[in-house]
């Protein structure tokens, strides 16, 4: 743990600021340790995964005893001078971590890194396969912050001949072909036949959320092309979804779009919650170096809801305002805050702030 602390300081260009500690104010050390706690809370640990706040306390203790060896007065860098309690800056980080731990049935976020890995794996897959279909849907739902019922079926409904999950109006709960509208640049109308014939024509896509948990039924969200990375382009992904549906099911109007061709049986099937979980947990195991058996409890935290959690975390990490997150991801309350967490990018911003403050002569 001490070596990990040294690595952290070196990685964030803080080691020369901390050692030697002769002239370093104790309050600055307090903030360095608070940043370290936030860094640990974002999964940057010896095991390369999230750990409990009690374990983070052990990391801080190990690092503190190391720093005390070099402090002229032997002061504990976790505490204020003359006091026995953990300083407020560190305590706030630990309380936030405990808050996250205590959220019932919490889900880990699906990340952009996981999606990029998935895209690389799905490149050679058959366009009608489950893998290709899941890759498309993960991409569009990560951007839309979609709920499982808005696109996939519950685990017991995979047979394409069965009645899909219904909403309160008695219609299919998941997106159907009429819920998707493509546009040319400048939001000029585009016929579906033209979009299917020439994939380069669509520049925007409008998605209608017919029935929503927040009561805003019939809300339409507009998405535009990602010109930086085609693999993350939501317009291309929606077009791929519709193309696959037309190939497998024609223009059926009241049938959920999330379908694929099952190769062993040559039957069309719905994507289910089980399909989502298996694929997502496989990606998580590879990204976070988790063992499917030993780390089964950690992997179980990835489910279809991880896409909605991930969408919140992406916007939080990029500094979006609360009202923007609520509008983009269709929230009518502050409940989305339960999904946000101590992210690496926020920890890095915190580290930079401490470094900048340490260079101020009167700080």
């Amino acid at each position: 743990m001490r070596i990990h602390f040294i690595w952290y300081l070196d990685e964030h260009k803080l080691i020369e600021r901390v050692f030697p500690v002769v002239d370093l104010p104790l309050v600055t050390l307090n903030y360095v340790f608070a940043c370290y706690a936030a860094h640990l809370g974002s999964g940057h640990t010896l095991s390369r995964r999230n750990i409990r706040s009690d374990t983070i306390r052990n990391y801080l203790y190990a690092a503190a005893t190391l720093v005390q060896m070099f402090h002229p007065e032997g002061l504990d860098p976790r505490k204020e001078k003359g006091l026995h309690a953990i300083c407020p800056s560190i305590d706030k980080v630990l309380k936030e971590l405990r808050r996250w731990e205590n959220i019932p049935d919490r889900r880990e976020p699906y990340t952009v890194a996981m999606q990029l890995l998935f895209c690389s794996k799905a490149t050679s897959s058959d366009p009608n396969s489950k893998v290709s279909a899941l890759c498309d849907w993960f991409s569009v739902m990560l951007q839309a912050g979609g709920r499982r019922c808005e696109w996939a079926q519950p685990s017991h409904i995979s047979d394409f001949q069965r009645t899909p999950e219904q909403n309160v109006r008695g219609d299919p709960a998941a997106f159907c072909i009429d819920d998707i509208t493509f546009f040319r640049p400048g939001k000029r109308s585009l016929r579906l036949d033209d979009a299917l014939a020439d994939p380069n024509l669509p520049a925007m896509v409008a998605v209608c959320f017919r029935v929503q948990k927040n009561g805003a039924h019939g809300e339409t969200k507009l998405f535009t092309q990602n010109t930086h990375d085609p693999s993350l382009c939501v317009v291309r992904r929606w077009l791929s979804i519709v193309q696959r549906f037309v190939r497998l099911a024609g223009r059926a109007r009241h049938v959920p779009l999330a379908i694929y061709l099952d190769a062993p049986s040559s039957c069309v099937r719905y994507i289910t919650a089980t399909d989502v979980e298996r694929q997502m947990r496989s990606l998580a195991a590879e990204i976070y170096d988790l063992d499917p058996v030993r780390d089964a409890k950690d992997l179980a935290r990835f489910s279809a809801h991880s896409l909605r959690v991930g969408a919140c975390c992406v916007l939080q990490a990029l500094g979006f305002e609360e009202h923007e997150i609520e509008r983009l991801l269709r929230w009518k309350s502050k409940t989305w805050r339960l999904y946000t967490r101590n992210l690496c990018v926020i920890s890095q911003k915190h580290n930079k702030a401490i470094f900048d403050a340490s260079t101020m002569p009167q700080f």
Side-chain angles (χ1 to χ4, degrees):
M1 289 180 178
R2 288 176 173 176
I3 294 172
H4 186 272
F5 178 65
I6 295 295
W7 169 85
Y8 163 79
L9 295 177
D10 183 59
E11 187 76 8
H12 294 84
K13 298 179 174 59
L14 290 170
I15 195 163
E16 292 182 359
R17 295 282 176 179
V18 174
F19 294 104
V21 295
V22 178
D23 300 320
L24 195 65
L26 186 59
V27 65
T28 303
L29 279 174
N30 290 164
Y31 280 112
V32 168
F33 270 69
C35 290
Y36 182 48
H39 187 73
L40 291 166
S42 63
H44 292 77
T45 62
L46 290 169
S47 60
R48 296 200 300 173
R49 53 179 162 165
N50 292 310
I51 55 178
R52 297 186 65 82
S53 58
D54 288 341
T55 308
I56 290 177
R57 284 181 179 274
N58 294 336
Y59 274 83
L60 296 178
Y61 173 77
T65 54
L66 173 65
V67 173
Q68 278 181 293
M69 296 179 186
F70 298 88
H71 199 284
E73 300 178 49
L75 296 179
D76 190 330
R78 302 169 300 163
K79 303 174 183 179
E80 295 177 303
K81 192 170 184 177
L83 300 178
H84 296 289
I86 295 293
C87 71
S89 57
I90 298 175
D91 188 54
K92 287 179 181 179
V93 174
L94 295 175
K95 283 182 177 178
E96 172 63 16
L97 292 170
R98 286 196 296 272
R99 178 191 73 83
W100 174 252
E101 290 169 5
N102 292 330
I103 296 174
D105 299 324
R106 65 186 176 93
R107 289 291 181 262
E108 292 291 333
Y110 186 77
T111 65
V112 176
M114 292 171 70
Q115 182 58 24
L116 290 173
L117 173 64
F118 197 8
C119 290
S120 68
K121 290 178 172 292
T123 303
S124 59
S125 299
D126 185 289
N128 292 332
S129 68
K130 185 196 298 186
V131 170
S132 293
L134 284 170
C135 190
D136 287 339
W137 281 103
F138 283 10
S139 185
V140 298
M141 289 298 102
L142 178 60
Q143 187 154 339
R147 300 177 176 88
R148 192 277 307 161
C149 63
E150 293 171 340
W151 65 282
Q153 299 301 309
S155 297
H156 65 282
I157 301 179
S158 63
D159 188 347
F160 186 65
Q161 303 303 318
R162 287 192 58 178
T163 301
E165 186 177 27
Q166 306 287 295
N167 60 30
V168 294
R169 297 176 177 176
D171 301 322
F175 295 114
C176 297
I177 198 167
D178 289 344
D179 298 323
I180 313 302
T181 306
F182 295 100
F183 295 95
R184 300 172 186 267
K187 206 179 178 181
R188 292 177 295 158
S189 60
L190 179 64
R191 294 173 58 248
L192 180 59
D193 286 334
D194 294 335
L196 294 174
D198 187 352
N200 294 316
L201 288 178
M204 304 176 183
V205 60
V207 180
C208 178
F209 294 81
R210 282 175 285 113
V211 175
Q212 296 194 84
K213 186 178 179 180
N214 63 13
H217 305 321
E219 181 180 8
T220 299
K221 305 296 289 187
L222 185 68
F223 301 93
T224 58
Q225 284 179 317
N226 184 332
T227 57
H228 303 289
D229 188 343
S231 67
L232 296 176
C233 179
V234 70
V235 177
R236 286 175 178 267
R237 293 294 182 177
W238 271 116
L239 184 59
S240 176
I241 287 168
V242 174
Q243 288 173 327
R244 181 182 302 105
F245 181 81
V246 171
R247 288 195 299 267
L248 299 179
R251 299 293 184 90
R253 298 184 60 192
H254 302 291
V255 177
L257 285 171
I259 60 175
Y260 68 95
L261 182 65
D262 181 56
S265 64
S266 298
C267 294
V268 176
R269 297 192 180 279
Y270 288 123
I271 292 176
T272 68
T274 299
D275 297 327
V276 175
E277 290 169 3
R278 286 175 178 169
Q279 183 61 64
M280 196 172 288
R281 290 168 188 177
S282 174
L283 293 168
E286 187 168 346
I287 283 284
Y288 299 115
D289 194 22
L290 300 177
D291 183 86
V293 177
R294 186 177 63 250
D295 302 309
K297 185 176 180 180
D298 293 326
L299 290 172
R301 295 195 177 106
F302 289 92
S303 71
H305 202 61
S306 295
L307 290 162
R308 190 153 175 79
V309 178
C312 290
C313 290
V314 166
L315 297 185
Q316 179 206 20
L318 294 178
F320 278 69
E321 299 288 340
E322 289 191 4
H323 68 90
E324 293 176 311
I325 295 175
E326 290 161 13
R327 177 172 57 83
L328 289 171
L329 302 182
R330 302 168 290 116
W331 285 96
K332 287 298 179 86
S333 69
K334 302 295 183 182
T335 310
W336 63 270
R337 291 178 177 176
L338 296 175
Y339 296 150
T340 58
R341 55 189 302 144
N342 292 294
L343 301 173
C344 176
V345 66
I346 294 177
S347 172
Q348 290 170 348
K349 288 180 181 178
H350 198 172
N351 287 327
K352 186 177 185 302
I354 296 301
F355 175 79
D356 292 343
S358 70
T359 63
M360 297 178 184
Q362 302 301 324
F363 183 73

